[in-house]
Amino acid sequence: MIELEGVPELIDPVMVAAFEGWNDAGDAASTAVAHLDREWKGEVFAALDAEDYYDFQVNRPTVFMEAGVRKITWPTTRLSVVRVGGEKPRDLVLVRGIEPSMRWRSFCNELLGFAHELGVELVVILGALLGDTPHTRPVPISGTTSDPDLARRMDLEETKYEGPTGIVGVLQEACTHAGVPAVSLWAAVPHYVSQPPNPKATLALLNRLEDLLDLRIPLGELPEDARAWQLGVDQLAAEDSEVAEYVQTLEEARDTAELPEASGEAIAREFERYLRRRDVSPPGGHATADGGEGGPFLRDNPGGRPRPPKPPRPGGEDEDSPEE
């Protein structure tokens, strides 16, 4: 049974969701929703019953002490609401949790029940995947939808992905079948530095969300964290000639693939987005802001020095497409 007592009538509500786990490389997506919740002081109004959706041997509860009393926090998915002020105020319903272990269809139906009761007009699901992308370049963000009309109106790609999927893909398709407009935004995280956090990818997701919803998100320390992260990865790469060579090869492949896009018109469009998003403020929060606080490189054998896999040749196969 859905209980929504205490939730005020919402203004043009949009549901923004992210789930830890398979869909969340570098914790980029879940951290983005956590940032929104923190910056706008979200108020939790509902939580799904953990018994229904989680295997506690996979996602274990945690014990903590409060005023001398032992308590348990159970893994679950929580919903909170935040109000975005400005000339056109609107509300965001934030969904943050862990990818469920079981009963995915019931899980999605319960979230859609909340969306229906709250009058949600659009569902935006954030995800992050591992890809052959260099950490030195802007984070690739792809926006996809199953709705051809929505793809045209919001300048998104109509998804053509086929293959294994996670809760992001299942929830988007559940929205489509329920007649609820839904969009997925995916950040590509360098597979050779996949350990969380990845503030650069989180920042890129938030900047793309700003464009999609035509709102301004307070970024706090994220731009500085992103620059520090890239500096840390730069230093680690400089200490390993094989990794440095691999990153350079990825850079060349990326630059060659994007060369046709480097036109005056494309640059003008990006500059307009930047001005609109930051209101001509200093460039710290630009979507292409460089790097942040670094995490170590991941290797198949931490004690050895394996050669990184060869990246795709320019014009050949691209990195894995974001699944829906």
Side-chain angles (χ1 to χ4, degrees):
M1 183 176 180
I2 298 174
E3 297 288 346
L4 296 177
E5 294 182 3
V7 179
E9 185 175 350
L10 303 184
I11 302 172
D12 300 328
V14 173
M15 180 176 281
V16 181
F19 304 95
E20 299 173 20
W22 196 66
N23 311 274
D24 193 24
D27 290 354
S30 58
T31 302
V33 174
H35 178 89
L36 298 175
D37 192 72
R38 182 173 58 254
E39 290 295 324
W40 278 319
K41 297 178 174 56
E43 297 183 7
V44 175
F45 65 87
L48 276 60
D49 190 340
E51 289 277 349
D52 291 340
Y53 304 114
Y54 294 100
D55 179 345
F56 299 138
Q57 291 182 328
V58 176
N59 297 292
R60 291 186 178 273
T62 57
V63 178
F64 67 99
M65 300 293 293
E66 185 177 282
V69 179
R70 287 171 61 86
K71 295 187 177 182
I72 294 179
T73 298
W74 297 93
T76 188
T77 294
R78 293 180 172 84
L79 289 82
S80 59
V81 63
V82 301
R83 175 148 295 175
V84 182
E87 294 181 2
K88 297 180 179 179
R90 76 182 315 169
D91 293 307
L92 301 183
V93 178
L94 304 179
V95 179
R96 182 160 62 106
I98 306 168
E99 183 176 67
S101 307
M102 62 194 86
R103 303 183 68 221
W104 284 18
R105 285 176 290 189
S106 297
F107 179 87
C108 293
N109 287 337
E110 189 164 355
L111 289 180
L112 284 170
F114 282 109
H116 175 74
E117 292 295 322
L118 293 168
V120 166
E121 300 175 349
L122 175 70
V123 175
V124 181
I125 316 167
L126 306 183
L129 53 84
L130 299 178
D132 291 323
T133 182
H135 73 278
T136 54
R137 296 294 186 265
V139 176
I141 301 291
S142 57
T144 62
T145 180
S146 300
D147 185 335
D149 293 333
L150 195 62
R152 286 191 294 270
R153 285 192 287 111
M154 305 191 78
D155 192 24
L156 302 167
E157 299 177 19
E158 187 179 352
T159 179
K160 303 296 183 184
Y161 174 81
E162 295 179 299
T165 190
I167 193 59
V168 170
V170 173
L171 179 56
Q172 176 159 337
E173 289 308 303
C175 291
T176 299
H177 290 303
V180 179
V183 171
S184 294
L185 299 180
W186 288 91
V189 172
H191 66 83
Y192 58 88
V193 58
S194 59
Q195 282 188 303
N198 189 320
K200 186 172 181 178
T202 295
L203 178 61
L205 279 170
L206 291 174
N207 283 336
R208 184 67 179 88
L209 185 65
E210 282 187 322
D211 289 340
L212 185 75
L213 301 182
D214 192 23
L215 52 80
R216 181 172 179 179
I217 296 172
L219 297 176
E221 298 180 355
L222 260 180
E224 181 59 31
D225 290 343
R227 282 188 289 272
W229 178 88
Q230 181 163 323
L231 179 61
V233 180
D234 285 343
Q235 292 172 344
L236 287 171
E239 296 171 0
D240 189 319
S241 59
E242 290 186 350
V243 172
E245 181 182 354
Y246 177 59
V247 171
Q248 182 179 1
T249 306
L250 288 176
E251 291 172 339
E252 293 171 354
R254 173 79 176 272
D255 294 344
T256 300
E258 293 186 347
L259 189 59
E261 296 297 323
S263 64
E265 184 179 351
I267 293 173
R269 285 198 305 269
E270 179 58 30
F271 188 60
E272 288 174 359
R273 291 193 193 100
Y274 166 67
L275 293 178
R276 182 172 63 252
R277 183 162 55 236
R278 293 278 72 84
D279 291 339
V280 203
S281 62
H286 190 354
T288 59
D290 294 336
E293 188 176 53
F297 290 95
L298 291 184
R299 296 176 174 274
D300 295 332
N301 178 8
R305 297 173 59 86
R307 183 177 296 276
K310 293 182 179 179
R313 297 178 179 274
E317 294 183 0
D318 296 331
E319 66 190 28
D320 291 342
S321 300
E323 48 80 11
E324 288 303 318

